[in-house]
Amino acid sequence: MSTGSISSPSTSSSTTRLTSIVSHLSDARPKVVICRHLGPAMPLLQDRKDIEVVLWPEDRSCERSWLLDNIRGAAGVLVLLGDKVNEELLEAAGPNLRVVSTMSVGYEHIDLPLMARRKIRVGYTPDVLTEADLSVMLALMAGRNDGAAYSLVRNGDWAKPKFAWSPFTFCGPQLSATPSSPTRTVGFLGFGRIAQATLARLIPFGITHCLYAGSPSSRPDTARDAALQATHKLKVLERVDADRLARESDVLFVLTPGGTETYHLVDAAFLRKMKPMSVLINTSRGSVVDSDALATALREKWIWGAGLDVVEGEPLITEDHPLVKEPQCVMVPHIGSATFQTRLDMATRAINNLYGGLFGEDMPAELGRQ
Amino acid sequence: MSTGSISSPSTSSSTTRLTSIVSHLSDARPKVVICRHLGPAMPLLQDRKDIEVVLWPEDRSCERSWLLDNIRGAAGVLVLLGDKVNEELLEAAGPNLRVVSTMSVGYEHIDLPLMARRKIRVGYTPDVLTEADLSVMLALMAGRNDGAAYSLVRNGDWAKPKFAWSPFTFCGPQLSATPSSPTRTVGFLGFGRIAQATLARLIPFGITHCLYAGSPSSRPDTARDAALQATHKLKVLERVDADRLARESDVLFVLTPGGTETYHLVDAAFLRKMKPMSVLINTSRGSVVDSDALATALREKWIWGAGLDVVEGEPLITEDHPLVKEPQCVMVPHIGSATFQTRLDMATRAINNLYGGLFGEDMPAELGRQ
């Protein structure tokens, strides 16, 4: 499905033919391949007359064979997390390709060294803060025994005699501080923008202490920490090691990048150090948390509960997955950025990155350019 | 089950007998009936040597016949929402009864005019702010399409081909403001302590406007409103009529008392005025919202979603209830105060109210005394 078409080369006299070829070259609109319909952002592509848009026509992930066929001669491609951008794709595209734009925060699917060698610019969409909303939601749900409570209603068991309410039914640890329980410690494994946005959202719940563990390669930023502590009127805001983070956090948020450096940072040894009434929230990358260890921790009550937006091996998570079966584990299907506003912002950003690369202009968010 | 016992009257010589009776009278410990085991708060009752505690021995609601038998001669009774305190109970208790303490925020189960006539003091446990936590949780869940997302994982459908992700799958309206969508209006039907605690928790999400409708009998408090607006740096904080509240709110919280004055304030006419992308949250009383009208509003997409902790007719809510069947309705089983900290605070408060009434002292929270 194309919204325009390449002008057909003339076949008449040589003059006309030359004119036609010159016209074709000068008028030639760069071809861009769009690997997924972008919903309400599509007019930003379809209303442009200076490009040729080739759009994967179905409402599912783009087929590789279609992409390899259609990318031939393209100047740009807009991809999603499932579309591998590798040697094979570049060979199929040919030398015209000058920009790859991904509508995603992650870029594990793009071979960045290869892009650098070929001088192909790469755009992505990092400015997503909605994981902070989701982190707060999951912290509230995991503490509230929400899985069991929600299922009770959905299954129609609220009305049944087998549901016997008692004063401590469905109780869990409370996120908000109270006069009789006045301190709360939140911990962050990784303390970037989303962690700080999550912290800000938790302050009115009465959070008093904030601990975080940063990447070993990052340097402590005491001035930033002092400013944050003052802004939020916290008793403590401190960079600590993983051991203390595990031991002292009431609610612990995993908000690190993925990859080998953070693989299974939260393992059985880490979970065993956590408080029995603590909850663990992961809205970053599944690989950071050892799923089997977490299932054991929940089953044996090393910790109170967990809230996960991401999990190792997703989306191949079946109903007999050990974490799906754990009643104190709340799991949602990687919906961190799933709001109309954010996804529209991401699609718009991805399209503007594409245009920046196509026309040799600035890209709103370019990888590998500082 | 009693933790103590009344001393047996002696049957020997008259002197001994008189001594025994005097001793019995002077030592007579007031009897209190406790209608439910109070979990970790029980030591506050069982460790007291100056009262006789009679405790309903089962882990379910107290049977009426047991209560009517056991309350005879009691000086105090500690009840829950399901235990009606009426003429029948007072007749069974006899003239000794001087205090009724309920472990609940509501007191619809207690005949207050009757208590006043009999000069029986009544305690309750109003200072519960956890509904604010739950209101935030439900607002996040209802906007996030959480019902569908959560069920997808729980049913094992995340792994199945029939789940076809697309860039706008599971999207809903975003609670947090963004640079491209910078204003958010929250509305409150009822603007008491819990509403204000909910507002405070929402501020870091980027809320810019707050509208509320108060009870018609309450007077506007412009000084309080100006102070709140300044504290929260809101562009607008304004008391409005129900019409404007419905038309302008992105997220609307029902936080009114129950009863005839607020019955079905949220009806079809109200819901028809709301924005198509708005969500309605009810954590106060089911009777305020017309369930049938809300189910229609969701089915016909007058509004985006709903989050309910309370619903008309609860707990007799079966799986074919029209709101349980609505995918955009998130319903939890009245767990507003269901945290260990809050329920322990409520139990402690109820016990201290009981002691205040028993021994003619102050009660921490007494009904009908200003």
Side-chain angles (χ1 to χ4, degrees), chain A residues 36 130 133 137 144 146-147 150 154 159 165-167 172 174 176 180 201 324 335 339-343 345, chain B residues 36 130 133 137 144 146-147 150 154 159 165-167 172 174 176 180 201 315 324 335 339-343 345:
Chain A
R36 195 69 186 256
T130 42
D133 289 23
M137 178 182 112
R144 280 303 181 111
D146 198 67
Y150 185 76
R154 187 62 66 187
W165 185 90
S166 82
Q174 177 169 323
S176 281
S180 63
R201 282 159 176 71
V324 173
I335 57 173
T339 70
F340 290 121
Q341 289 87 346
T342 287
R343 289 277 165 85
D345 283 351
Chain B
R36 195 69 186 257
T130 42
D133 289 21
M137 178 183 112
R144 281 302 180 111
D146 198 67
Y150 185 76
R154 187 61 67 187
W165 185 90
S166 83
Q174 177 169 323
S176 280
S180 63
R201 282 160 176 71
V324 173
I335 57 173
T339 70
F340 290 120
Q341 288 88 344
T342 287
R343 288 277 165 84
D345 283 351

Side-chain angles (χ1 to χ4, degrees), chain B residues 317-336:
Chain B
I317 305 299
T318 56
E319 57 193 315
D320 57 357
H321 187 283
L323 286 171
V324 173
K325 289 194 297 184
E326 268 316 309
Q328 303 279 88
C329 181
V330 176
M331 200 191 299
V332 290
H334 207 148
I335 57 173

Side-chain angles (χ1 to χ4, degrees), chain B residues 60-181:
Chain B
R60 59 187 177 91
S61 295
C62 174
E63 273 180 11
R64 190 69 177 175
S65 59
W66 179 92
L67 179 56
L68 293 172
D69 280 351
N70 282 276
I71 203 166
R72 192 163 305 128
V77 60
L78 195 154
V79 299
L80 281 85
L81 274 177
D83 306 307
K84 285 228 175 307
V85 182
N86 54 12
E87 187 82 48
E88 177 193 44
L89 190 74
L90 266 51
E91 286 308 311
N96 276 359
L97 191 69
R98 50 186 184 264
V99 58
V100 171
S101 171
T102 182
M103 180 183 153
S104 60
V105 180
Y107 41 84
E108 300 94 333
H109 53 308
I110 303 173
D111 184 340
L112 289 182
L114 176 65
M115 300 299 120
R117 285 199 303 278
R118 299 279 189 97
K119 299 197 175 1
I120 295 172
R121 296 171 73 187
V122 180
Y124 70 135
T125 58
D127 295 322
V128 174
L129 282 175
T130 42
E131 273 90 350
D133 289 21
L134 195 73
S135 299
V136 174
M137 178 183 112
L138 289 172
L140 287 162
M141 289 176 73
R144 281 302 180 111
N145 241 330
D146 198 67
Y150 185 76
S151 299
L152 180 94
V153 175
R154 187 61 67 187
N155 299 339
D157 291 340
W158 198 6
K160 293 180 187 165
K162 70 178 173 182
F163 167 60
W165 185 90
S166 83
F168 290 88
T169 301
F170 291 128
C171 280
Q174 177 169 323
L175 186 55
S176 280
T178 68
S180 63
S181 165

Side-chain angles (χ1 to χ4, degrees), chain A residues 151-160, chain B residues 291 308-325 331-334:
Chain A
S151 299
L152 180 95
V153 175
R154 187 62 66 187
N155 299 339
D157 291 340
W158 199 7
K160 294 179 186 164
Chain B
S291 289
L308 307 177
D309 186 40
V310 292
V311 60
E312 292 182 287
E314 66 179 65
L316 299 175
I317 305 299
T318 56
E319 57 193 315
D320 57 357
H321 187 283
L323 286 171
V324 173
K325 289 194 297 184
M331 200 191 299
V332 290
H334 207 148

